[in-house]
Amino acid sequence: MIRKSAAIVAGLIAALWLAGCGTIDRPEGGVLRLTTQTWRPTEDPRIRAGDVARVEALAEQIGERLWAASEGRSILALSGGGANGAYGAGVLVGWTASGTRPEFSVVTGVSTGALAAPFAFLGPEWDDELRGAYAEGRTGGLLGWRSFAALASPGLFDSGVLEDLVEDYVTPELLRQIAVEHDKGRRLLIVTTNLDAEETVIWDMGVLAKQGGVQAVALFRDVLLASASIPGVFPPVMIPGVDAEGRLVEEMHVDGGVITPFLGIPESLLNVTTPTPAPEGTTLYVLINGQIGRTEVITRGTLRAILARSYDTMSKANLRTGLAVNLAFAERNGLSLYVAAIPEGIESSSLDFDPESMARLFERGRTAAAGGLAWSELKGPVPEPGLVPESDPRAVEAPPPVTPEG
């Protein structure tokens, strides 16, 4: 038994040492050969941080929705958080049950939040899809031995399970309905990180959805997959783009949370220091798929535990900074800022994709939102502790998860 265990450990160590063999072959300078089969969107849906004109145009559109619209003046920002996205999905479903869930002018998604964002954008009629994606066992094997792929790809695990999940739920009908809502002036925005340019890229998914067709569906899926691909855990996604010289190039995209923990108020608006009072009722909702405050626990000495703890620590720090900046803007301009997050005292991990754990986390979020406990208005300094009182029984004990038949 000892020899067998030692052999397993030695094999794993050797695999990690050899992980450098898992690479992606890239063309010289990233430039792709243009062929008749290469599809270029009629309108590029990506908005790069360095493209000042398009960034400012997006900020103007969102500003008009928030300041000029007669109703529906709200943004829903879904953060990253890996497996903790089950909590956020549960909050959305429970929010529907409470009867208080609004229709959002803008929905944004980062990482796991990107996977939930299309359903949140389309409204309560898509709650069954949210439940199916996060609480009905679809994540089984995501980080299992069968997915271990360090020798074949630049990631510890392949993204096959995630790809299947995205493929099943991103359909031509989903894009058609998103296009309809886009034409009404609503916006669905997804964030990825372009590693080549070291910049955040915002994808206007309504622009992409309106173009329709097989290739639009494929690119839509690639964007969601890229935004949810935690670097080092899953391989990056290669997406064609056009450089400043008009050449078709291959871009390497990964988890949007590398730079942007959530997309609330666009940076161009955040930088405006002159107050512009927003109409009454204008609200920013930030749904955090994780916890805000620091938690002190002994980190297990396993690769998965170290990766998860490091990712969670980085995410929390970035989240607190992002919340502080958005809160300052909200207070300056008369917006309300509401935050929902996993309460302190509840064990969770961004890399715990065990189906039962995710089902329990989904049910905690659903119960909290249905009972009016999920959301808290953020005022003053960003708090270190959780937002839901631990004394509330629903913040400590959750009912058993609902089965698919229930």
Side-chain angles (χ1 to χ4, degrees):
M1 178 66 73
I2 293 177
R3 289 183 178 178
K4 183 178 180 181
S5 299
I8 293 174
V9 172
L12 179 57
I13 292 173
L16 293 175
W17 272 105
L18 291 171
C21 298
T23 61
I24 295 176
D25 291 329
R26 306 193 66 184
E28 185 70 26
V31 179
L32 295 169
R33 293 183 61 188
L34 185 61
T35 68
T36 55
Q37 288 76 36
T38 301
W39 178 67
R40 293 194 186 200
T42 53
E43 180 181 351
D44 196 339
R46 77 198 82 193
I47 302 166
R48 298 175 176 86
D51 191 338
V52 177
R54 294 201 67 187
V55 169
E56 290 182 348
L58 175 65
E60 184 177 346
Q61 289 179 34
I62 293 178
E64 288 176 355
R65 291 295 299 172
L66 295 180
W67 270 261
S70 59
E71 59 184 13
R73 292 184 295 267
S74 61
I75 294 178
L76 173 65
L78 303 172
S79 84
N84 290 332
Y87 183 84
V91 167
L92 289 167
V93 173
W95 204 357
T96 298
S98 74
T100 61
R101 177 175 165 181
E103 178 181 270
F104 307 103
S105 302
V106 181
V107 174
T108 72
V110 176
S111 193
T112 189
L115 302 180
F119 307 135
F121 179 74
L122 291 177
E125 295 79 8
W126 291 75
D127 281 358
D128 286 345
E129 282 74 13
L130 267 175
R131 182 189 297 276
Y134 282 95
E136 295 183 356
R138 293 299 304 272
T139 58
L142 191 60
L143 298 186
W145 279 106
R146 291 184 179 180
S147 299
F148 186 73
L151 297 178
S153 72
L156 289 176
F157 301 91
D158 69 44
S159 52
V161 174
L162 194 56
E163 288 177 12
D164 290 343
L165 184 67
V166 171
E167 183 175 348
D168 286 349
Y169 286 108
V170 177
T171 63
E173 176 61 18
L174 180 87
L175 267 67
R176 188 191 70 78
Q177 293 201 31
I178 288 173
V180 169
E181 296 304 314
H182 181 84
D183 282 341
K184 296 177 183 177
R186 301 176 65 218
R187 292 294 178 263
L188 170 62
L189 307 173
I190 300 299
V191 177
T192 64
T193 299
N194 181 341
L195 280 186
D196 296 329
E198 294 184 331
E199 69 176 358
T200 290
V201 177
I202 300 172
W203 298 78
D204 190 332
M205 304 303 277
V207 167
L208 180 56
K210 282 179 61 65
Q211 297 177 46
V214 174
Q215 292 166 314
V217 172
L219 180 54
F220 200 107
R221 289 169 176 167
D222 281 347
V223 172
L224 296 190
L225 182 63
S227 186
S229 294
I230 303 171
V233 178
F234 300 114
V237 178
M238 311 309 297
I239 301 179
V242 179
D243 67 8
E245 299 178 24
R247 299 176 302 179
L248 195 68
V249 296
E250 184 182 63
E251 299 175 349
M252 181 179 286
H253 287 259
V254 296
D255 190 342
V258 169
I259 300 175
T260 306
F262 67 88
L263 179 63
I265 302 297
E267 188 173 353
S268 293
L269 290 177
L270 288 174
N271 292 334
V272 177
T273 57
T274 303
T276 305
E280 184 177 356
T282 305
T283 307
L284 168 62
Y285 296 94
V286 181
L287 179 45
I288 295 174
N289 292 303
Q291 296 168 327
I292 299 175
R294 293 189 298 269
T295 55
E296 186 173 345
V297 298
I298 300 300
T299 304
R300 295 174 58 197
T302 65
L303 178 61
R304 182 185 296 190
I306 293 169
L307 283 175
R309 187 68 169 168
S310 300
Y311 182 75
D312 288 343
T313 300
M314 175 193 71
S315 298
K316 287 179 181 180
N318 289 340
L319 277 168
R320 289 193 292 268
T321 300
L323 283 173
V325 173
N326 280 267
L327 177 60
F329 177 89
E331 291 179 334
R332 196 163 58 240
N333 294 281
L335 282 74
S336 299
L337 174 57
Y338 284 83
V339 178
I342 299 176
E344 304 304 318
I346 292 180
E347 185 177 351
S348 64
S349 169
S350 57
L351 296 185
D352 184 6
F353 289 98
D354 173 69
E356 291 186 3
S357 297
M358 291 186 68
R360 286 194 296 269
L361 204 54
F362 176 94
E363 190 60 20
R364 288 184 184 277
R366 189 199 66 79
T367 303
L373 294 172
W375 294 97
S376 294
E377 185 171 9
L378 190 59
K379 295 180 178 180
V382 175
E384 285 287 323
L387 296 173
V388 178
E390 291 187 22
S391 58
D392 190 295
R394 278 166 289 192
V396 180
E397 297 294 336
V402 177
T403 62
E405 292 76 21

